[in-house]
Amino acid sequence: MAYIKEAIPIHLDEEVTTPLLCSSAYSQDYLPNYTLLNSSSSSIMSSCDPENGSLHNNTNGNSNSNQQVVVPQTAHQISTDSWLQAGFVLTTGINSAYVLGYSGAIMLPLGWIPGILGLLAATAISLFANALVAKLHELGGRRHIRYRDLAGYVYGPRAYSLTWALQYINLFMINTGFIILAGSSIKAAYSLFSDAGALKLPYCIIISGFVCGIFAIGIPHLSALRIWLGVSTFFGLIYIVIAIALSLKDGINSPPRDYSTPNERGKIFTTIGAAANLVFAFNTGMLPEIQATVRKPVVENMMKALYFQFTIGVVPMYAIVFIGYWAYGRNTDAYLLNNVHGPVWLKALANISAFLQTVIALHIFASPMYEYLDTRFGITGSALKPKNLGFRILIRGGYLTLNTFVSALLPFLGDFMSLTGAISTFPLTFILANHMYYRAKKNKLSIAMKIWLWINIIFFSCMALAAFIAALRLIAVDSKHYHLFADL
């Protein structure tokens, strides 16, 4: 590990020596400066206002605290990818095999009109919130390559730590859901050829976790996916096209369906959970980490990637969600491929494609954890170096083993989606994004924009609380029906 001595920004009077880790592929033009922020020990958050070049505290204005945020460089590559590659990373996330559950998880509880309006609204507000984060990427003249780095720069050390915790809870739960989904795909494919039931869901989840581990060992960082993003798109199109085609055939040949929403006890909680799934569908909770891979001009290129995601990228998801619900109505399953009728080989191909695409998609959402570990332990240079290869086998393998264990222990996919939306996706993507933009650009915003940002902050804070309560109820209800390591 090397060290770099760097002067503190103009409003501070000291110097600091901080650790430097960087990939040999970096150019000095792309290396972000270290961020060192002071924070009042008596305040919850403090902010550095780059517009005014001064340090502000939220409570008593005391800026003499010894608390500081030191942001390390990264062991992974940055500033190497085109906006189109970033767009495919984002699109891979929203068109992952999770889309096979949205007809049942979103449309079934909401019905036609609320479901359609909800999806359209979630698309628009998600684009807006992600654009806010993207435009803050170079705040203060430096690139903030992690979500927590940006939060730490705007607010201070406590927000840095809190954002770190929220993000990794979010990503851990998403990864857990991916492994459950991959295991469910394997089991669905197996069930097409055998009624013996020997291959239980926990066994399928273990197989999925092992394959995800092999892939994680072979792909060192997010930018290295490259051709694999094309492979992911190919597999995604296979299961989406098959699911749409078979659903259309079933819908045309079926009698009129019942599209009324289930009138069951606890309907309000189910509806709130569906609303959480709406925002979960469009958001990664790791936009700065994806933006870090994009070449300059970084904000302009990231906006192109976001426009790609929220126009072309959402078309497959919309198609499968609406057609799936149209074909089966109230009988729509939580995994759409369980509804469709057609040749066994075709359904098996769709399930295997869903499994393989999930392996690639999981790597995207696990990459911030891999980046943290590689940076923390100085894993740089060739991916095939014995030290680096051994590290990935041991550390990434251990991380995915924990994911796999939790997946097999509690295989309630819909509950994970809802709880993830409540705990992390709402706060990171909507509450924090709107408030960070407000704090960073406060002096340049119109009154109307300030009001709109605060409406978003308050509304999504209430939604997060309601979704959290609803998700806990769902888990409690499912716990009564399913035992640990259940074969769903």
Side-chain angles (χ1 to χ4, degrees):
M1 180 182 295
Y3 286 83
I4 184 170
K5 193 172 187 179
E6 178 179 81
I8 302 306
I10 192 169
H11 51 272
L12 299 176
D13 299 322
E14 13 177 355
E15 292 185 336
V16 65
T17 299
T18 50
L20 170 64
L21 282 173
C22 61
S23 166
S24 59
Y26 288 171
S27 161
Q28 289 299 319
D29 291 338
Y30 296 141
L31 287 174
N33 296 325
Y34 280 92
T35 301
L36 181 69
L37 301 179
N38 284 346
S39 174
S40 171
S41 59
S42 62
S43 66
I44 297 177
M45 292 182 182
S46 64
S47 74
C48 173
D49 184 352
E51 309 272 345
N52 300 323
S54 60
L55 184 72
H56 297 280
N57 293 289
N58 288 340
T59 53
N60 54 18
N62 177 19
S63 61
N64 296 321
S65 169
N66 292 323
Q67 294 186 28
Q68 298 173 333
V69 175
V70 178
V71 178
Q73 303 289 1
T74 176
H76 286 191
Q77 290 185 1
I78 62 172
S79 299
T80 59
D81 302 340
S82 67
W83 70 264
L84 189 59
Q85 180 167 331
F88 271 101
V89 169
L90 294 167
T91 302
T92 294
I94 64 173
N95 288 300
S96 70
Y98 270 115
V99 299
L100 296 170
Y102 292 153
S103 294
I106 294 174
M107 298 301 296
L108 183 61
L110 298 179
W112 274 119
I113 295 178
I116 292 174
L117 293 179
L119 272 173
L120 292 174
T123 304
I125 198 67
S126 296
L127 173 59
F128 175 76
N130 280 279
L132 295 182
V133 176
K135 291 175 181 178
L136 294 176
H137 189 76
E138 294 182 308
L139 187 65
R142 59 170 59 89
R143 293 188 67 171
H144 303 281
I145 63 173
R146 306 173 187 90
Y147 214 130
R148 62 185 183 276
D149 296 352
L150 179 58
Y153 186 80
V154 174
Y155 299 113
R158 294 189 182 181
Y160 179 92
S161 301
L162 179 60
T163 303
W164 191 98
L166 285 175
Q167 186 182 38
Y168 285 108
I169 289 172
N170 181 43
L171 297 176
F172 182 87
M173 295 180 69
I174 291 175
N175 294 335
T176 300
F178 270 127
I179 294 176
I180 294 171
L181 188 55
S184 300
S185 300
I186 293 177
K187 184 184 176 184
Y190 166 79
S191 300
L192 293 171
F193 298 98
S194 174
D195 295 328
L199 191 61
K200 307 292 186 183
L201 180 59
Y203 305 151
C204 296
I205 287 174
I206 292 172
I207 295 171
S208 300
F210 178 77
V211 175
C212 289
I214 296 297
F215 190 79
I217 291 167
I219 307 297
H221 47 74
L222 188 58
S223 291
L225 278 173
R226 291 190 175 89
I227 188 63
W228 289 104
L229 293 172
V231 174
S232 171
T233 301
F234 174 73
F235 286 134
L237 287 174
I238 288 177
Y239 62 73
I240 287 175
V241 169
I242 291 175
I244 288 175
L246 296 182
S247 296
L248 280 172
K249 179 181 69 68
D250 289 346
I252 292 171
N253 296 328
S254 297
R257 274 78 66 194
D258 181 6
Y259 295 111
S260 61
T261 56
N263 189 20
E264 58 186 19
R265 186 179 179 184
K267 180 179 177 180
I268 186 172
F269 293 102
T270 305
T271 302
I272 293 172
N277 292 336
L278 282 170
V279 298
F280 174 85
F282 294 101
N283 297 284
T284 62
M286 51 175 283
L287 190 75
E289 287 80 0
I290 296 173
Q291 192 169 0
T293 68
V294 179
R295 293 192 293 262
K296 292 185 176 182
V298 62
V299 173
E300 178 182 330
N301 283 334
M302 196 62 195
M303 290 305 300
K304 291 179 182 178
L306 286 172
Y307 292 142
F308 178 84
Q309 175 193 11
F310 285 98
T311 53
I312 297 173
V314 299
V315 171
M317 189 198 74
Y318 274 21
I320 196 170
V321 169
F322 295 144
I323 292 174
Y325 183 61
W326 167 80
Y328 307 107
R330 287 190 61 169
N331 295 321
T332 305
D333 195 84
Y335 183 64
L336 188 60
L337 291 179
N338 288 337
N339 279 120
V340 301
H341 300 85
V344 170
W345 69 268
L346 197 60
K347 293 193 291 182
L349 177 62
N351 281 294
I352 295 302
S353 296
F355 162 70
L356 294 173
Q357 196 274 348
T358 298
V359 173
I360 301 172
L362 183 148
H363 191 79
I364 293 173
F365 289 92
S367 60
M369 176 59 78
Y370 301 156
E371 187 274 335
Y372 166 74
L373 293 170
D374 290 351
T375 300
R376 174 67 179 80
F377 293 99
I379 305 302
T380 60
S382 172
L384 298 179
K385 284 171 57 176
K387 173 190 173 183
N388 295 351
L389 192 59
F391 179 86
R392 290 201 303 276
I393 292 173
L394 181 64
I395 302 300
R396 295 188 186 186
Y399 173 71
L400 289 172
T401 296
L402 178 60
N403 267 138
T404 302
F405 175 76
V406 174
S407 302
L409 184 70
L410 300 168
F412 311 136
L413 179 60
D415 298 353
F416 275 103
M417 291 164 62
S418 299
L419 193 58
T420 299
I423 292 178
S424 302
T425 308
F426 275 120
L428 287 174
T429 308
F430 297 103
I431 302 171
L432 190 59
N434 281 275
H435 195 264
M436 279 196 304
Y437 195 80
Y438 173 81
R439 288 290 295 271
K441 305 289 186 179
K442 185 175 181 180
N443 295 335
K444 294 186 176 182
L445 298 176
S446 66
I447 296 296
M449 186 61 173
K450 290 180 181 179
I451 293 173
W452 172 246
L453 292 174
W454 273 108
I455 288 174
N456 280 298
I457 293 165
I458 295 170
F459 174 76
F460 285 109
S461 296
C462 296
M463 283 294 298
L465 178 60
F468 177 74
I469 296 172
L472 290 181
R473 180 188 176 278
L474 282 173
I475 292 174
V477 170
D478 280 345
S479 297
K480 296 177 182 178
H481 296 289
Y482 303 113
H483 55 81
L484 300 179
F485 299 102
D487 181 30
L488 303 182

